[in-house]
C-alpha cells in the first residue's frame, strides 16, 4: 500500500504478528470528530452521552479516546489484546484509518520503522 507524497509503503499483513504497536505503548492522542463519536457510540449500542463520559477525554477543544494502562503500556481503550486488534474496527477514527501515512511520519521514517514492522522503505 502506498500513498502519494510518502516515500515508504505499508504492508498490512505485518499487523497479524505486530501486537498492536500503533494502538499501544507510549501515551498519545487518538482524536475523534463529532461524527466519529456518534458512529462509535452507535456501533457499541451506547447512549452518546454515556459513551463520551466513559471513553473520551477532552484535549483543548478536541476529544481523544481514553487509554488503559496495561503492564506499563498505554493501550487505546478499544485495543483488544486477546484478539490482537481493534474492537471498533468498522468505526475506527480517521486518524487510525490513515496510519501510517501521517504528516508527522513523512520525514520521521526511522521512528516509524521502529514502531511498525509493516513499513517498507529502502
Ligand atoms: S480506535 Fe482501534 S485502531 Fe484506533 S488506536 Fe484504538 S484500537 Fe487502535
Amino acid at each position: 500500500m502506498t500513498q502519494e507524497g510518502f516515500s515508504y509503503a505499508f504492508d498490512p499483513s505485518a499487523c497479524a504478528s505486530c501486537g498492536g504497536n500503533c494502538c499501544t505503548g507510549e501515551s498519545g492522542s487518538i482524536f475523534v470528530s463529532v461524527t466519529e463519536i456518534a458512529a462509535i457510540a452507535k456501533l457499541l449500542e451506547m447512549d452518546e452521552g454515556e459513551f463520551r463520559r466513559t471513553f473520551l477525554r477532552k484535549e483543548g477543544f478536541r476529544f481523544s479516546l481514553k487509554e488503559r494502562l496495561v503492564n506499563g503500556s498505554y493501550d487505546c481503550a478499544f485495543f483488544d489484546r486477546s484478539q490482537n486488534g481493534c474492537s471498533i474496527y468498522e468505526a475506527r477514527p480517521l486518524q487510525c484509518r490513515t496510519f501510517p501515512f501521517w504528516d508527522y511520519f513523512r520525514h520521521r521514517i526511522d521512528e516509524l520503522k521502529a514502531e511498525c514492522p509493516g513499513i517498507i522503505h529502502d
Side-chain angles (χ1 to χ4, degrees), residues 2 17 31 43 60 69-70 77 83 89 93 96 107 115-117:
T2 57
S17 55
F31 292 112
L43 180 75
L69 189 55
V70 181
Q83 300 291 319
Y89 191 80
C96 308
H107 302 296
E115 176 177 329
C116 176

Side-chain angles (χ1 to χ4, degrees), residues 23 30 65 76 78-79 86 88 93 96:
C23 307
I30 309 144
L65 299 180
C76 170
F78 295 108
F79 184 70
C86 175
I88 55 162
C96 308

Side-chain angles (χ1 to χ4, degrees), residues 5 11 25 32 37 45 50 53-54 56 68 75 96 102 105 114:
D11 173 9
V32 280
I37 290 169
E45 298 180 351
E50 187 193 349
R53 285 189 295 278
T54 310
L56 301 184
R68 259 190 325 248
D75 291 9
C96 308
W102 294 351
F105 287 126

